[in-house]
Amino acid sequence: MKQTYNVPVRLSDDLLRRLIYISEAEGRTPNNQFLLLLRNSIQYFERTKGKISPAELAKIDVTPYLPDADEISEKQPKEQED
């Protein structure tokens, strides 16, 4: 299974309501609608500007967008000590 990430996105009230409206009209969850819009945007970018090479993608450091290790450990249940 592919690794998935949670990326917080800040939306205005109006934009959130429009996303929910379109999601419901299309029979999708807001998350799935957002992913569809994002994929369509990437396809448009690559169609107009050229494909993004796997080598270029591999150079991108995603760690600034990941939760801190402290946040991850806080969210995970603590193991009980014997």
Side-chain angles (χ1 to χ4, degrees):
M1 181 180 207
K2 290 184 179 181
Q3 177 71 38
T4 60
Y5 300 96
N6 291 324
V7 180
V9 178
R10 292 185 187 108
L11 303 173
S12 68
D13 184 65
D14 182 63
L15 199 54
L16 177 61
R17 289 175 190 276
R18 290 173 189 267
L19 175 64
I20 292 169
Y21 181 91
I22 294 168
S23 301
E24 289 177 355
E26 298 288 326
R28 296 184 184 93
T29 64
N31 186 71
N32 286 340
Q33 185 68 34
F34 186 80
L35 290 174
L36 177 70
L37 294 167
L38 184 57
R39 286 185 194 108
N40 287 344
S41 178
I42 292 167
Q43 285 178 348
Y44 176 79
F45 179 93
E46 290 186 327
R47 199 169 49 246
T48 59
K49 311 251 186 210
K51 289 272 185 194
I52 304 168
S53 74
E56 288 296 317
L57 292 175
K59 293 179 189 177
I60 298 171
D61 179 17
V62 298
T63 55
Y65 302 96
L66 301 177
D68 293 334
D70 293 337
E71 288 180 36
I72 293 170
S73 63
E74 288 173 8
K75 291 180 181 178
Q76 293 177 350
K78 298 188 186 231
E79 293 181 22
Q80 293 183 355
E81 297 178 13
D82 293 326

